[in-house]
């Protein structure tokens, strides 16, 4: 079963606009990761945020984490047509203080950026 | 450098046949993961290998599924007596160390399995 719930399921925007995707989870986590998947390809790691962090940036990506609400958001600024892909959040569970190997993925958000 | 390599990229087989899927992880990565991606279930964890430790098989859906990792490198996922519900994309990933939260996972492009 999927721990993460993402919304929206699909997002369609114009180039240059910002895209925000949200993820909620249920159990205590060690950290949360965001991945991107282009059609027919594997997942590509974008960014990792630890449970003791609240915000993290990487280029045009900004991720926030609110452990009290068990939620995270991914913001892509100044979107490009090449950002068109599916975006997944994934959680690594906190098992006795260590970060456990397997990831639990959300259902994903399909982002379409129109040129 | 080479990424995670999976073969075959596509596999079509008849119900009841056995299939074997292969994963070549990134050199030096000690952790290897198998996931399954299907329309109805999203991305599901199947099995996790870390070095010489016993694998975590908690995600394997039935005893028809098995996996091994030889020499700490290449892994094969075997599905016996395939059923139509086994149709999915099977993704392999590897990472540098135990603890997915501490290291990003690097994914192959998957094997698209279709059971007729």
């Amino acid at each position: 079963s999927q721990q993460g719930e993402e919304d929206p399921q699909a997002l369609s925007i114009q180039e240059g606009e910002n895209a925000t995707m949200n993820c909620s989870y249920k159990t205590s986590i060690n950290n949360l990761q965001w991945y991107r998947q282009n059609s027919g390809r594997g997942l590509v790691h974008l960014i990792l945020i630890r449970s003791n962090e609240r915000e993290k940036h990487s280029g045009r990506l900004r991720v926030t984490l609110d452990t009290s609400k068990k939620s995270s958001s991914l913001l892509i600024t100044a979107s490009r047509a090449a950002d068109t892909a599916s975006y997944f959040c994934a959680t690594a569970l906190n098992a006795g203080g260590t970060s456990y190997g397997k990831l639990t993925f959300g259902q994903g958000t399909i982002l379409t950026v129109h040129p | 450098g080479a990424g995670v390599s999976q073969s075959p990229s596509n596999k079509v087989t008849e119900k009841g046949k056995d299939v074997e899927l292969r994963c070549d992880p990134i050199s030096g990565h000690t952790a290897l993961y198998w996931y399954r991606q299907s329309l109805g279930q999203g991305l599901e964890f199947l099995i996790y290998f870390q070095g010489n430790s016993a694998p975590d098989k908690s995600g394997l859906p039935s005893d028809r599924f098995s996996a091994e990792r030889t020499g700490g490198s290449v892994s094969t996922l075997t599905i016996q007596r395939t059923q139509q519900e086994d149709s999915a994309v099977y993704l392999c990933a590897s990472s540098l160390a135990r603890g997915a939260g501490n290291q990003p996972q690097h994914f192959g492009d998957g094997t698209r399995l279709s059971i007729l």
Side-chain angles (χ1 to χ4, degrees):
Chain A
S1 64
Q2 299 294 311
Q3 163 162 248
E5 297 288 334
E6 294 185 61
D7 78 271
Q9 290 186 327
L11 181 60
S12 182
I13 60 175
Q14 296 295 128
E15 246 184 347
E17 294 180 340
N18 295 343
T20 299
M21 290 160 268
N22 303 296
C23 167
S24 61
Y25 58 91
K26 297 174 184 174
T27 61
S28 175
I29 61 170
N30 183 283
N31 58 71
L32 186 143
Q33 303 180 35
W34 284 89
Y35 286 81
R36 163 195 168 128
Q37 184 178 35
N38 287 78
S39 180
R41 304 298 302 273
L43 280 76
V44 175
H45 182 266
L46 295 177
I47 199 165
L48 179 155
I49 186 165
R50 298 181 190 276
S51 59
N52 61 355
E53 297 177 309
R54 292 296 166 258
E55 188 171 311
K56 201 160 184 180
H57 296 254
S58 177
R60 292 184 297 112
L61 305 180
R62 172 178 169 252
V63 168
T64 62
L65 179 65
D66 186 335
T67 53
S68 67
K69 295 181 180 178
K70 291 187 167 59
S71 67
S72 174
S73 68
L74 170 67
L75 169 67
I76 304 174
T77 60
S79 63
R80 305 167 183 168
D83 294 330
T84 294
S86 294
Y87 291 82
F88 296 89
C89 67
T91 50
L93 298 182
N94 189 344
T98 56
S99 176
Y100 187 56
K102 79 181 191 187
L103 292 177
T104 303
F105 286 87
Q107 295 291 339
T109 294
I110 300 171
L111 174 66
T112 304
V113 181
H114 299 281
Chain B
V4 176
S5 177
Q6 291 188 246
S7 61
S9 54
N10 286 283
K11 177 74 176 178
V12 180
T13 192
E14 293 179 347
K15 177 181 170 181
K17 301 283 189 185
D18 297 352
V19 295
E20 201 170 89
L21 312 179
R22 177 186 169 105
C23 173
D24 274 284
I26 293 173
S27 178
H29 280 192
T30 57
L32 186 147
Y33 316 80
W34 284 97
Y35 296 89
R36 177 169 74 173
Q37 185 174 29
S38 57
L39 281 174
Q41 299 297 320
L43 270 153
E44 304 172 279
F45 165 80
L46 296 177
I47 188 169
Y48 162 41
F49 295 89
Q50 167 55 24
N52 295 321
S53 302
D56 175 356
K57 304 179 182 180
S58 61
L60 294 179
S62 76
D63 58 8
R64 296 187 295 105
F65 287 71
S66 63
E68 62 177 25
R69 188 178 185 190
T70 54
S73 181
V74 171
S75 176
T76 54
L77 176 69
T78 301
I79 309 173
Q80 296 178 309
R81 305 181 302 282
T82 52
Q83 303 293 314
Q84 288 187 329
E85 62 262 28
D86 300 335
S87 295
V89 177
Y90 289 82
L91 293 164
C92 176
S94 68
S95 70
L96 273 174
R98 181 180 187 135
N102 295 325
Q103 297 289 343
Q105 293 186 17
H106 300 262
F107 283 78
D109 284 340
T111 293
R112 183 174 298 277
L113 177 64
S114 300
I115 310 298
L116 302 178

